[in-house]
Amino acid sequence: MNKLQLPPLSLYVHIPWCVRKCPYCDFNSHQLAAGAHQAKDGLPEAEYVAQLKRDLHSQLAWVQGRRLVSIFFGGGTPSLFSPAAIRAVLEAAERAVGFADDIEITLEANPGTFEQEKFAGYRAAGVNRLSIGVQSFDPQQLHNLGRIHTGDEAAEALGMARRAGFDNINLDLMHGLPKQTGEQALADLRRAVELEPEHISWYQLTIEPNTAFYNAPPPTPGSARIAAMQAGGREYLAEQGYGRYEVSAYSRPGLAARHNLNYWSFGDYLGIGAGAHGKVTLLGEGNLVRSRRTRAPRDYLALLEETAGVLASPRAEAIAHDELPVEFLMNALRLVDGVPRETFPAYTGLSLAVLEQRWPGLRAMELVQPLERRIAASAFGFDYLDEILQRFLVLTDPGLESRWRNPH
């Protein structure tokens, strides 16, 4: 084992409530009762914020002298929470851990009018990046996806965010939607580009278990049509100055999402909130651990009563050494340019020889780039990342693939 180094540290804050559960969503989100948009209507904002603070304090031993380089409020719909609540969480995090001078703080927001009214408050609270969940500008597709906003409201949301002082905005868009044509997908991208966001997340609709779409699948385009759709969209985004730096992420130069870059570069992150996951490096113990909190908001809030006001550290399990290479590659290969080769021994503690012994077989299939400087997929292999991982597992140990896919 090589000596581990501490990577940068981020914080993920999960807000699990939403106004309506979308039929494609498999995230840990829970629909509020009709009309329950505010704390007095059933959103336990104050109680949840207090629990988030306790949750963070329970993990301070994992900080190990670092400051936070990024914070991401995800959901659910974090913009259901008031600016005062977001400010309280940020102030607690700054006091307890500390912020890097150039910290990126992102909050996911939906384009409904109720959320728009709070944008100025979020900016004043310290949020400096918004991620607006548009998904489509097409009225029929918004209906298909169960969204509660219109295309015009989405455009107005970005305008209001600009007026509130945000100069770093991401728009979330989906493609491969029910009966969607390539021209319709491109029309969504054109509309998004007209709004001049700094970042666009453009990802394919996938049908996941435990969703309404899984139980009643919509008629989505075939694989050939989706491939053509993706090729046309990538070409258009490149022409408009949005560089693709990750599987589904495009940005203006220098404006890639730093929080997600830390994930994909195998950095560390604390996770607080119902269902939140974390991954941290423990130098004293010489290993890496995953952590997670209970998913149900009611159970998460009940942890307070069970622990007499003090939250225990989240359940953590060490990542087995034979799983670390695939865990690393699952993240690093999502980046178009991959990561510097020295990142692997520094952040896993494993010798680079673990990769070097298997890389020639992947190179022979033209799936990866040479390993001299960076760990990265080839232009061809970037569209077959699952294939790279499967091949790596087989090259490592024919029995390891089944153990990795079926850990129980």
Side-chain angles (χ1 to χ4, degrees), residues 78-336:
S79 52
L80 287 175
F81 270 35
S82 69
I86 300 301
R87 180 191 293 275
V89 176
L90 291 176
E91 289 177 346
E94 186 168 22
R95 285 195 303 269
V97 184
F99 290 175
D101 291 340
D102 60 347
I103 187 171
E104 175 191 88
I105 302 175
T106 303
L107 183 135
E108 289 185 333
N110 279 338
T113 301
F114 180 79
E115 287 83 359
Q116 289 182 41
E117 294 171 351
K118 296 184 287 190
F119 285 172
Y122 295 136
R123 187 68 190 91
V127 177
N128 55 26
R129 183 175 183 270
L130 276 184
S131 181
I132 302 176
V134 176
Q135 313 312 351
S136 178
F137 292 94
D138 183 274
Q140 182 59 52
Q141 294 296 357
L142 289 171
H143 173 76
N144 293 339
L145 296 173
R147 306 297 288 173
I148 60 173
H149 65 270
T150 67
D152 288 343
E153 285 176 332
E156 176 56 24
L158 191 141
M160 186 166 287
R162 292 291 191 214
R163 293 190 291 275
F166 284 97
D167 58 7
N168 194 357
I169 298 173
N170 168 65
L171 294 186
D172 266 355
L173 285 175
M174 302 175 76
H175 64 274
L177 303 180
K179 298 182 179 181
Q180 189 178 44
T181 67
E183 182 53 42
Q184 289 170 335
L186 195 57
D188 270 345
L189 284 178
R190 290 194 186 103
R191 185 72 180 100
V193 168
E194 287 174 1
L195 298 173
E196 300 183 335
E198 285 68 33
H199 191 285
I200 295 176
S201 296
W202 190 55
Y203 53 96
Q204 181 184 339
L205 170 67
T206 55
I207 308 301
E208 303 287 354
N210 302 315
T211 65
F213 274 179
Y214 186 81
N215 296 322
T220 54
S223 57
R225 288 177 60 187
I226 288 177
M229 188 181 296
Q230 292 171 338
R234 291 167 189 165
E235 181 180 0
Y236 173 73
L237 287 169
E239 291 171 352
Q240 300 302 314
Y242 291 90
R244 187 188 190 198
Y245 68 93
E246 188 267 343
V247 170
S248 57
Y250 305 76
S251 75
R252 298 291 193 190
L255 291 168
R258 279 183 276 156
H259 185 82
N260 289 339
L261 281 176
N262 192 40
Y263 279 172
W264 298 320
S265 300
F266 215 52
D268 281 359
Y269 54 97
L270 305 176
I272 62 174
H277 289 241
K279 172 256 168 183
V280 290
T281 303
L282 302 181
L283 287 186
E285 300 177 24
N287 60 25
L288 286 73
V289 300
R290 304 185 191 93
S291 66
R292 61 180 179 180
R293 282 297 190 193
T294 185
R295 287 174 59 87
R298 181 180 299 176
D299 294 340
Y300 178 76
L301 290 170
L303 287 173
L304 173 60
E305 299 174 5
E306 298 172 5
T307 56
V310 179
L311 243 60
S313 296
R315 180 183 301 173
E317 60 176 353
I319 303 174
H321 288 166
D322 62 357
E323 294 179 5
L324 277 172
V326 172
E327 289 275 350
F328 182 91
L329 292 175
M330 283 175 61
N331 290 277
L333 294 183
R334 289 182 63 93
L335 295 170
V336 171

